[in-house]
Amino acid sequence: MLHHNTDLWRTTGMVDGAYYGMWPTGGAWLSQHLWEKYIYSGDTTYLRSVYPVLRDACKFFQSFLVREPKNNWLVVSPSMSPENNPSVHGASTAAGVTMDNQIVFDLFNKTIHAAKILKTDSALAIQFKALCDQLPPMQVGKYSQLQEWMDDWDSPTDHNRHVSHLYGLFPSNQISAYKTPELFDAARTSLIYRGDVSTGWSMGWKINLWARLFDGNHAFQLINNQLTYVDPTVTSTSFSGGTYPNLFDAHPPFQIDGNFGCTSGITEMLMQSHDGVIQMLPAIPDDWKTGEIKGLRAYGGFDVDFSWSNGEIQKITIHSNLGGNCRIRVPNVVGMENGQGLTIASGINPNSFFVTDSVKQPIISAAAKLNNLTLKKTYEYDFQTEAGKTYFIVSANEPEFVSARITPQNPDKIYLQVSTPVVKQHSYSGVSVKINNQT
């Protein structure tokens, strides 16, 4: 395990105050990156080399989790939600904070997946699954917020720059508009309560969060906020973010987290692949009506380039490094450039790189007032790929009926004129024709 503060000498123990120097799940978070690299590359040799780290991180929590007496959940204790102190609790130390639960949930599940892929430690994986099933569920509090702590201690006036309990939304994929709409709405409420004003690294994280919430305009506003000029010759104590003349992020002072976070946020606005599908333009702001992006990598080893105009996809190029089913979600009707092989998606994506782990049903306060989600219309397609091959997909507007005619040469056939060429794919329902009031 690893606490938050480490240094050149690789100190792993607690240092300074518990408010920021104690964090038992630091090592578990770092372990997530080992798995993430695998699901982008599919390199099992690499996965085998890092699997012992994942396994042993799980073993640590196997021995460290304790039974919480009220609900009989297994929790991390003592711990804290980084650098936040609930006023009603009177201390930063707590048990079973939401971020810990989310991180340990991911650690157990990803290690179980890795063990299955590598055909190892099947008995140990069963033990990890049993522990994972006893972790606390996420909870929605009385202010309709995603609770940061196991108890409903949140305040809507808390504007702390840390949004630790939203780890389940980003970088994790536990909170989804399509799979967990109540948690999705509660996470949005929590982010609204926290506000936009924050330090550079926090602003970078919030860009990603708003992208995951499909709000491109809000994410874009934070990008503009982060690009606010900061004079490096002036000592500031405002901790309001910004950018130095050399484009380094200002915490202040400089923290690379803000640069990396903002870059990640921009890619999340353009493409996401964490929720069982490769979604293009999930959070496109009004100011980015037309554009092109190249060189993105999605889960499953898919390299993706695409262009768009007026918020609609024009052309997609997908290179498959590993083969397997490719599922895409786009804002408008598309079809294969060659007219072959694109079908309407249904059910769970059969590509194992896109597996998402089901979370427990949330506990929702009777006082919470959740909003019904209204999502923009999108289209989902599947197509099978072969490793090493490239596929081209183009916009295919729905054809509109123009006219119909029957010729003397072929009286048994009706010739239709439509507004655009028909691309061979399954989103067209066809036409029906009435002759003498009969279909």
Side-chain angles (χ1 to χ4, degrees), residues 373-393:
L373 297 184
T374 301
L375 299 175
K376 292 182 179 179
K377 183 175 178 58
T378 56
Y379 302 82
E380 290 189 20
Y381 303 97
D382 281 342
F383 62 98
Q384 292 299 316
T385 70
E386 295 180 31
K389 288 194 174 183
T390 302
Y391 301 83
F392 302 95
I393 300 167

Side-chain angles (χ1 to χ4, degrees), residues 29 102 146 161-172 175 184 187-188 190-192 194-196 198 201-216 218-219 222 261-262 264-266 268-269 272 274 283:
W29 181 322
Q102 294 167 339
L146 183 68
R161 66 186 181 276
H162 287 260
V163 285
S164 304
H165 52 311
L166 301 187
Y167 166 92
L169 177 64
F170 181 89
S172 184
I175 298 174
F184 185 87
R188 183 178 183 275
S190 288
L191 194 55
I192 291 172
R194 286 293 159 92
D196 292 345
S198 51
W201 69 264
S202 176
M203 209 172 291
W205 192 353
K206 290 177 180 178
I207 294 169
N208 288 272
L209 291 167
W210 282 113
R212 288 280 175 95
L213 292 168
F214 302 147
D215 192 336
H218 206 142
L222 283 170
C262 185
S264 169
I266 291 170
E268 287 284 331
M269 294 163 72
Q272 299 174 14
H274 64 283

